[in-house]
Amino acid sequence: MAAEVSAKAVKELRDLTGAGFNDCRKALEENGGDMQKATDYLRKKGIATAEKKSGRVATEGLIQTYSHHNGRLAVIVEVNSETDFVARNDTFKKFVKELALHIANSAPQYMTREEVPEAVITRERAVQREKTLNEGKKEAVVDKIVDGRMDKFYEEIVLMEQPWLHDDKLKVREVLAQIISEIKENIVIRRFARYGLGETSEAPTAEQ
């Protein structure tokens, strides 16, 4: 069972690592509130390193395309690096190609949670809340259940929250963090588009 952690502990870990609030909270919860273990957890995932590099300008990189063999599905994605040297790196090129294939298969609609329109979130929460109440769940636990179901909802439509196609134990944002840690440059998934033959709408382009 995950340990309860205080906002003060989360802030302390953020100050130590530069990682985001949610990543720090999860690291502390999964490591019993132990600050050192939580720090090591973030470093192993590459999150601490990635966060510290995230402010660097990245304007080089690659535009990768993917087209399904039957011509009914295509993807275009732009991934930026700080230098042209890294854009030619085999690890970087492999990530970009795998990302295009991931987008083709997983059909994300948004880059991050923050880009999901408030109206979409409100509507989905209302649906999930009514569904949960109809299942006979007690009012006291409904919101917590709905929060969990919203996390699943985000996993379906948000690129950074999706389980990585090539290793579903990791989310896309965690794979990106590992690549940043390995390459030691800021890497940014700038925008993407996915086109399916006959679809009435397409996934929006977005910037991280």
Side-chain angles (χ1 to χ4, degrees), residues 19 21 27 47 57 68 74 81 87 101 107 117 119 124 126 133 142 147 155 157 172 176 198 202 207:
F21 180 87
I47 294 170
V57 176
H68 198 52
S81 60
L101 186 59
E124 184 65 22
L133 288 169
V142 165
D147 285 344
E155 283 184 5
I157 66 170
V172 171
L176 177 62
E202 62 199 44
E207 292 198 1

mmCIF file of all heavy atoms in Angstrom, residues 19 21 27 47 57 68 74 81 87 101 107 117 119 124 126 133 142 147 155 157 172 176 198 202 207:
data_model
loop_
_atom_site.group_PDB
_atom_site.id
_atom_site.type_symbol
_atom_site.label_atom_id
_atom_site.label_comp_id
_atom_site.label_asym_id
_atom_site.label_seq_id
_atom_site.Cartn_x
_atom_site.Cartn_y
_atom_site.Cartn_z
ATOM 1 N N ALA A 19 12.333 17.541 -10.232
ATOM 2 C CA ALA A 19 11.259 16.788 -10.879
ATOM 3 C C ALA A 19 9.897 17.406 -10.570
ATOM 4 O O ALA A 19 9.766 18.216 -9.661
ATOM 5 C CB ALA A 19 11.298 15.324 -10.427
ATOM 6 N N PHE A 21 5.754 17.778 -9.551
ATOM 7 C CA PHE A 21 5.018 17.465 -8.321
ATOM 8 C C PHE A 21 4.500 16.033 -8.311
ATOM 9 O O PHE A 21 4.710 15.290 -7.347
ATOM 10 C CB PHE A 21 3.851 18.446 -8.156
ATOM 11 C CG PHE A 21 3.016 18.201 -6.918
ATOM 12 C CD1 PHE A 21 3.363 18.779 -5.706
ATOM 13 C CD2 PHE A 21 1.899 17.378 -6.964
ATOM 14 C CE1 PHE A 21 2.613 18.535 -4.568
ATOM 15 C CE2 PHE A 21 1.143 17.130 -5.830
ATOM 16 C CZ PHE A 21 1.500 17.717 -4.624
ATOM 17 N N ALA A 27 7.003 9.002 -6.277
ATOM 18 C CA ALA A 27 8.280 8.440 -5.824
ATOM 19 C C ALA A 27 8.282 8.245 -4.307
ATOM 20 O O ALA A 27 8.737 7.215 -3.801
ATOM 21 C CB ALA A 27 9.431 9.353 -6.242
ATOM 22 N N ILE A 47 13.916 10.892 -14.596
ATOM 23 C CA ILE A 47 13.014 12.034 -14.446
ATOM 24 C C ILE A 47 13.735 13.249 -13.886
ATOM 25 O O ILE A 47 13.555 14.370 -14.368
ATOM 26 C CB ILE A 47 11.811 11.659 -13.557
ATOM 27 C CG1 ILE A 47 10.965 10.605 -14.277
ATOM 28 C CG2 ILE A 47 10.977 12.886 -13.226
ATOM 29 C CD1 ILE A 47 9.886 9.985 -13.429
ATOM 30 N N VAL A 57 16.605 25.240 -24.831
ATOM 31 C CA VAL A 57 15.969 25.410 -26.128
ATOM 32 C C VAL A 57 16.305 24.233 -27.036
ATOM 33 O O VAL A 57 17.464 23.836 -27.160
ATOM 34 C CB VAL A 57 16.425 26.725 -26.786
ATOM 35 C CG1 VAL A 57 15.839 26.857 -28.188
ATOM 36 C CG2 VAL A 57 16.020 27.909 -25.923
ATOM 37 N N HIS A 68 0.912 3.251 -42.922
ATOM 38 C CA HIS A 68 0.574 1.837 -42.848
ATOM 39 C C HIS A 68 0.635 1.222 -44.244
ATOM 40 O O HIS A 68 0.391 1.894 -45.242
ATOM 41 C CB HIS A 68 -0.825 1.664 -42.249
ATOM 42 C CG HIS A 68 -1.088 0.282 -41.739
ATOM 43 N ND1 HIS A 68 -0.243 -0.367 -40.872
ATOM 44 C CD2 HIS A 68 -2.098 -0.588 -42.002
ATOM 45 C CE1 HIS A 68 -0.729 -1.571 -40.601
ATOM 46 N NE2 HIS A 68 -1.851 -1.732 -41.290
ATOM 47 N N ALA A 74 -1.768 7.172 -41.592
ATOM 48 C CA ALA A 74 -0.480 7.861 -41.663
ATOM 49 C C ALA A 74 -0.287 8.736 -40.433
ATOM 50 O O ALA A 74 -1.259 9.219 -39.837
ATOM 51 C CB ALA A 74 -0.389 8.705 -42.922
ATOM 52 N N SER A 81 15.548 18.311 -30.748
ATOM 53 C CA SER A 81 16.724 18.163 -29.882
ATOM 54 C C SER A 81 17.443 19.508 -29.851
ATOM 55 O O SER A 81 17.110 20.418 -30.619
ATOM 56 C CB SER A 81 17.657 17.074 -30.432
ATOM 57 O OG SER A 81 18.088 17.412 -31.745
ATOM 58 N N ALA A 87 20.388 14.858 -33.301
ATOM 59 C CA ALA A 87 19.360 14.477 -34.271
ATOM 60 C C ALA A 87 19.830 13.330 -35.161
ATOM 61 O O ALA A 87 19.013 12.584 -35.707
ATOM 62 C CB ALA A 87 18.974 15.680 -35.122
ATOM 63 N N LEU A 101 5.227 5.093 -34.671
ATOM 64 C CA LEU A 101 4.474 3.836 -34.669
ATOM 65 C C LEU A 101 3.515 3.784 -33.477
ATOM 66 O O LEU A 101 2.376 3.316 -33.599
ATOM 67 C CB LEU A 101 5.437 2.652 -34.625
ATOM 68 C CG LEU A 101 4.812 1.258 -34.749
ATOM 69 C CD1 LEU A 101 4.048 1.123 -36.062
ATOM 70 C CD2 LEU A 101 5.900 0.178 -34.657
ATOM 71 N N ALA A 107 -3.336 6.161 -31.087
ATOM 72 C CA ALA A 107 -4.253 7.246 -31.464
ATOM 73 C C ALA A 107 -4.478 8.300 -30.380
ATOM 74 O O ALA A 107 -5.617 8.596 -30.007
ATOM 75 C CB ALA A 107 -5.601 6.661 -31.890
ATOM 76 N N PRO A 117 -9.433 19.980 -23.267
ATOM 77 C CA PRO A 117 -10.371 21.069 -22.964
ATOM 78 C C PRO A 117 -11.162 20.792 -21.687
ATOM 79 O O PRO A 117 -11.535 19.648 -21.405
ATOM 80 C CB PRO A 117 -11.297 21.080 -24.182
ATOM 81 C CG PRO A 117 -10.473 20.495 -25.281
ATOM 82 C CD PRO A 117 -9.623 19.452 -24.627
ATOM 83 N N ALA A 119 -14.146 21.435 -20.995
ATOM 84 C CA ALA A 119 -15.478 20.888 -21.279
ATOM 85 C C ALA A 119 -15.440 19.373 -21.436
ATOM 86 O O ALA A 119 -16.367 18.670 -20.999
ATOM 87 C CB ALA A 119 -16.042 21.530 -22.548
ATOM 88 N N GLU A 124 -16.663 14.108 -19.026
ATOM 89 C CA GLU A 124 -16.229 12.747 -18.685
ATOM 90 C C GLU A 124 -16.362 12.483 -17.188
ATOM 91 O O GLU A 124 -16.778 11.395 -16.778
ATOM 92 C CB GLU A 124 -14.785 12.532 -19.142
ATOM 93 C CG GLU A 124 -14.249 11.121 -18.928
ATOM 94 C CD GLU A 124 -14.967 10.071 -19.748
ATOM 95 O OE1 GLU A 124 -15.577 10.431 -20.777
ATOM 96 O OE2 GLU A 124 -14.932 8.877 -19.357
ATOM 97 N N ALA A 126 -18.512 13.796 -15.190
ATOM 98 C CA ALA A 126 -19.938 13.635 -14.906
ATOM 99 C C ALA A 126 -20.415 12.237 -15.270
ATOM 100 O O ALA A 126 -21.175 11.602 -14.517
ATOM 101 C CB ALA A 126 -20.739 14.689 -15.672
ATOM 102 N N LEU A 133 -21.986 6.013 -9.102
ATOM 103 C CA LEU A 133 -23.140 6.034 -8.202
ATOM 104 C C LEU A 133 -24.136 4.935 -8.561
ATOM 105 O O LEU A 133 -24.718 4.287 -7.685
ATOM 106 C CB LEU A 133 -23.822 7.404 -8.259
ATOM 107 C CG LEU A 133 -23.064 8.559 -7.589
ATOM 108 C CD1 LEU A 133 -23.704 9.891 -7.949
ATOM 109 C CD2 LEU A 133 -23.016 8.375 -6.073
ATOM 110 N N VAL A 142 -16.826 7.903 -3.822
ATOM 111 C CA VAL A 142 -17.112 8.107 -5.244
ATOM 112 C C VAL A 142 -16.035 8.941 -5.925
ATOM 113 O O VAL A 142 -15.532 8.584 -6.992
ATOM 114 C CB VAL A 142 -18.500 8.762 -5.438
ATOM 115 C CG1 VAL A 142 -18.647 9.299 -6.868
ATOM 116 C CG2 VAL A 142 -19.600 7.756 -5.159
ATOM 117 N N ASP A 147 -11.584 9.674 -9.731
ATOM 118 C CA ASP A 147 -10.217 10.123 -10.018
ATOM 119 C C ASP A 147 -9.419 9.016 -10.709
ATOM 120 O O ASP A 147 -8.687 9.262 -11.673
ATOM 121 C CB ASP A 147 -9.503 10.534 -8.725
ATOM 122 C CG ASP A 147 -9.990 11.883 -8.196
ATOM 123 O OD1 ASP A 147 -10.629 12.629 -8.970
ATOM 124 O OD2 ASP A 147 -9.741 12.175 -7.012
ATOM 125 N N GLU A 155 -5.109 8.153 -20.032
ATOM 126 C CA GLU A 155 -4.216 7.188 -20.672
ATOM 127 C C GLU A 155 -4.673 6.852 -22.087
ATOM 128 O O GLU A 155 -3.871 6.496 -22.939
ATOM 129 C CB GLU A 155 -4.129 5.899 -19.852
ATOM 130 C CG GLU A 155 -3.261 6.010 -18.622
ATOM 131 C CD GLU A 155 -3.128 4.688 -17.894
ATOM 132 O OE1 GLU A 155 -3.643 3.666 -18.405
ATOM 133 O OE2 GLU A 155 -2.511 4.662 -16.820
ATOM 134 N N ILE A 157 -6.330 9.032 -24.198
ATOM 135 C CA ILE A 157 -6.341 10.148 -25.150
ATOM 136 C C ILE A 157 -5.116 11.061 -25.109
ATOM 137 O O ILE A 157 -4.913 11.858 -26.021
ATOM 138 C CB ILE A 157 -7.610 11.009 -24.963
ATOM 139 C CG1 ILE A 157 -7.601 11.701 -23.601
ATOM 140 C CG2 ILE A 157 -8.871 10.174 -25.148
ATOM 141 C CD1 ILE A 157 -8.699 12.750 -23.442
ATOM 142 N N VAL A 172 4.759 7.052 -21.981
ATOM 143 C CA VAL A 172 5.543 7.773 -22.985
ATOM 144 C C VAL A 172 6.433 8.818 -22.329
ATOM 145 O O VAL A 172 7.608 8.966 -22.679
ATOM 146 C CB VAL A 172 4.611 8.437 -24.027
ATOM 147 C CG1 VAL A 172 5.403 9.372 -24.940
ATOM 148 C CG2 VAL A 172 3.887 7.376 -24.847
ATOM 149 N N LEU A 176 10.500 9.178 -22.654
ATOM 150 C CA LEU A 176 11.124 10.430 -23.059
ATOM 151 C C LEU A 176 12.160 10.870 -22.033
ATOM 152 O O LEU A 176 13.272 11.287 -22.388
ATOM 153 C CB LEU A 176 10.058 11.511 -23.233
ATOM 154 C CG LEU A 176 10.563 12.916 -23.586
ATOM 155 C CD1 LEU A 176 11.290 12.909 -24.925
ATOM 156 C CD2 LEU A 176 9.397 13.907 -23.614
ATOM 157 N N GLY A 198 -10.946 8.200 -44.183
ATOM 158 C CA GLY A 198 -12.380 8.270 -43.939
ATOM 159 C C GLY A 198 -12.783 8.847 -42.599
ATOM 160 O O GLY A 198 -13.968 9.032 -42.333
ATOM 161 N N GLU A 202 -9.374 14.605 -37.076
ATOM 162 C CA GLU A 202 -8.028 14.107 -36.874
ATOM 163 C C GLU A 202 -7.500 14.563 -35.542
ATOM 164 O O GLU A 202 -7.983 15.535 -34.961
ATOM 165 C CB GLU A 202 -7.108 14.606 -37.994
ATOM 166 C CG GLU A 202 -6.984 16.108 -38.019
ATOM 167 C CD GLU A 202 -6.476 16.634 -39.340
ATOM 168 O OE1 GLU A 202 -6.945 16.167 -40.381
ATOM 169 O OE2 GLU A 202 -5.600 17.514 -39.321
ATOM 170 N N GLU A 207 1.716 21.450 -28.941
ATOM 171 C CA GLU A 207 3.073 21.698 -28.507
ATOM 172 C C GLU A 207 3.182 21.402 -27.034
ATOM 173 O O GLU A 207 2.287 21.673 -26.264
ATOM 174 C CB GLU A 207 3.465 23.147 -28.772
ATOM 175 C CG GLU A 207 3.580 23.451 -30.250
ATOM 176 C CD GLU A 207 4.355 24.707 -30.517
ATOM 177 O OE1 GLU A 207 4.833 25.338 -29.548
ATOM 178 O OE2 GLU A 207 4.515 25.056 -31.689
#
